[in-house]
Amino acid sequence: MSTLENGVIRSPAVHAPGERQITFGQAILEAINEEMARDESVFIIGEDVAEAGSVFKVLVGLLDQFGPERVIDSPISEAGIAGIGVGAAITGMRPIVDIMFGDFTTLVMDQLVNQAAKTHYMSGGKLKVPMVLRTTLGASRRSAAQHSQSLHALFSHIPGLKVAMPATPYDAKGLMKSAIRDDNPVVIFEDKMLYQERGPVPEREYTLPLGQADVKRAGDDLTIVATSSMVYVALEAADNLASIGISAEVIDPRTTNPLDTEALVNSAKKTSRALIIDEGYQQYGVTGEFASVIADGAFYYLDAPVKRIGAMNVPVPFSPVMEDLTIPTAEYVVETAKALCG
Amino acid sequence: MSETNDTKPNATELDAEHWLQAYEQMAKIRAFEEAANELYTSARMPGIAHLYIGEEAIAVGICEALRQDDYITSTHRGHGHCLAKGAALDKMFAELLGKEAGYCRGKGGSMHIADQETGNLGANGIVGGSAGIATGAGMSVKLRGTDQVAVCFFGDGALGQGLLYESMNMAQLWKLPVIYVCENNQYGEYTHNSKTAAGSMVGRAAGFGVHAQAIDGQDIRTVHATARLVIDRARNGGGPAFLVCNTYRFHGHHVGDIDRPYRTREEEAEWAKRDPLKLLEDWLVKSKQAESDVFERIQQDVKSDVENAVNYALEASFPSESEVDRHVYA
Ligand SMILES: Cc1ncc(C[n+]2csc(CCOP(=O)(O)OP(=O)(O)O)c2C)c(N)n1
Ligand SMILES: [Mg+2]
């Protein structure tokens, strides 16, 4: 069973005691670093990724290691760099396109949705687009409506795209490495608030398959499915629920597309109750898809309707007193879970 | 169309009194930004802000040539534009602090101040994001048959955005009254534009047949004289214009960018010699249009106005919880 100690998730199943601890940001950098060393076709392009090492300081040192030919500062041209990514990917490279804020992915929609996602299919399987688009999600930085959104649902909707959203340093590294090696366009969402979070990451080489959920905490009474930033909210809620005798299982799908439907359904069959938390807007969010998967697959086992909690259906407001109302909190999850189990 | 400054500043276009007003506007913006910085460093302002210090001559020089019913669109570095177009200090600070009394009831913050009463269609957190909006305002002016003008402010970084070029092309095709003002402060975040902008900046607009010029953005006399010409021209059906105003942000990209490792202290010192407030002051004194003690007085006045506005904002109340889902739809 995993536990949350000082904000660090420890999963004895995968982590040896006394294992090295690094931050989420360092895990991302290590993954990119290792893959660039392993495969010369990997390069990264984005605004302020090279000299500045990215605005979140995640890529510091990468330029020195691989030089400006492979670590490229671009103009503020999101659509352009995404297009360059698609073209380079089709012709033998493995680009990583860096889009600073998830909010700016709206500027690359055509290149990703109409081009990257469909090229393999439209060409009857002849062309491949092995590119990664890495970007961010998450509110609560007081950055207002255009720098705070969690837009992963938009991309999860599109056949041909894969979408990863790691919650821990361990997952971040393993998923990033797999994303880079994958022959399909993969969008990877990193929570800006998690970059400084530490967690165990083995020094040995490893990858994590895209499409495999992870049990972040085992439990019997209730399944909480949580993504990215919300995994921590779910674990905190599970701790609080344990103190009142409710044993919650926390499942992190890790990728929304492909989705590990079996893991979600099996957990719900075991606990008979499911609650889903995600930081995207609740309406038409990934929570709806997860709920439907569970309702379909575990219908005869459920003791209550599947509940979901997303971000409030409003643009993210600037004022802290309002912004804090829009994001799911552990208290709210506990209340909802109690009602579900009541 | 020309690559160079073909508009000679005409010093007599404004009288001393008006130049002193322009000075006061610039001083007000500077004092506002210094106070915003102080609110950030003392942890009393949520989030961050992008300061306009060093670039004041552009917003003021241009907005002094606009009418109240003319439009502007602004950027993430927008406080100067908003103030120059007539925004009130107290409501500005209240917005920066997320208070209900702010211009956007605390919903927008530093990057999203809008004020329809002064024609401010909104600052924007998306680089280049307002190029279409300003052009649409120009389209609306044409369709409604008024003689308003729309000014689109943006940074040199926005030259990377395709939307700008789609917009300028249409503005020229349809002779829309839109002035595209590129505040070329040399950097987009931490990268010099020599690494991000190929070819000629003015040439990009000139290619569409848009009247395009590069001017000294530190000299308010040049900015203002040029602005009057292109704004009058647009108002009278002459179509859009594109101004590259060469300038420099004296502070970091945002209030948290303290070390500025991407540029040299020498470069900063060179630009500091061309402080827009100092340049205007020196000229007014040298040409005997003002005594030097006037400027000290103006500085004191705006500082005390700013102080009062900050206090007002600090004491103002936060929005109530019920505000959060208001205004999602009209
Ligand atoms: C479309 C988009 N891409 C990236 C960003 C992140 N960003 C914010 S300000 C900025 C630099 C803008 O440079 P410039 O347009 O020259 O304006 P300046 O900050 O120099 O005034 C960047 C890249 C953004 N806000 N919007
Ligand atoms: Mg700039």
Side-chain angles (χ1 to χ4, degrees), chain A residues 48 76-78 100 146-147 318-319, chain B residues 98 106 112 125 160-161 189 191:
Chain A
D48 283 313
I76 308 172
S77 305
E78 284 81 4
M100 196 183 291
Q146 295 174 339
H147 287 74
F318 165 69
S319 190
Chain B
H112 303 289
Q161 291 284 321
E189 281 181 352
T191 302

Side-chain angles (χ1 to χ4, degrees), chain B residues 55 76-77 155-158 183-189 191 193 249:
Chain B
E55 309 187 24
H76 58 285
R77 199 176 303 288
D156 47 320
E183 300 181 312
N184 177 20
N185 63 10
Q186 322 296 322
Y187 292 84
E189 281 181 352
T191 302
N193 64 33
R249 59 167 157 75

Side-chain angles (χ1 to χ4, degrees), chain A residues 48 51-52 55 74-78 100 104 107 141-144 146-147 312 314-315 317-322 325-326, chain B residues 46-47 95-96 98 105-109 111-112 124-126 157 160-161 189-191 195-196 318-319 323-325 328:
Chain A
D48 283 313
E51 300 268 355
V55 297
S74 77
I76 308 172
S77 305
E78 284 81 4
M100 196 183 291
F104 312 156
L107 295 159
R141 290 171 87 245
R142 316 322 185 188
S143 306
Q146 295 174 339
H147 287 74
M312 199 181 268
V314 303
F318 165 69
S319 190
V321 294
M322 289 191 278
L325 300 172
T326 68
Chain B
E95 191 58 37
L96 261 59
R105 308 178 68 84
K107 287 191 157 106
M111 270 195 292
H112 303 289
N124 208 308
I126 302 299
Q161 291 284 321
E189 281 181 352
Y190 317 118
T191 302
K195 294 181 191 154
T196 53
F318 282 108
E323 184 71 27
V324 70
D325 59 357
V328 178

Side-chain angles (χ1 to χ4, degrees), chain B residues 198-214:
Chain B
S200 151
M201 290 188 187
V202 287
R204 294 160 182 232
F208 295 119
V210 171
H211 174 91
Q213 33 181 151

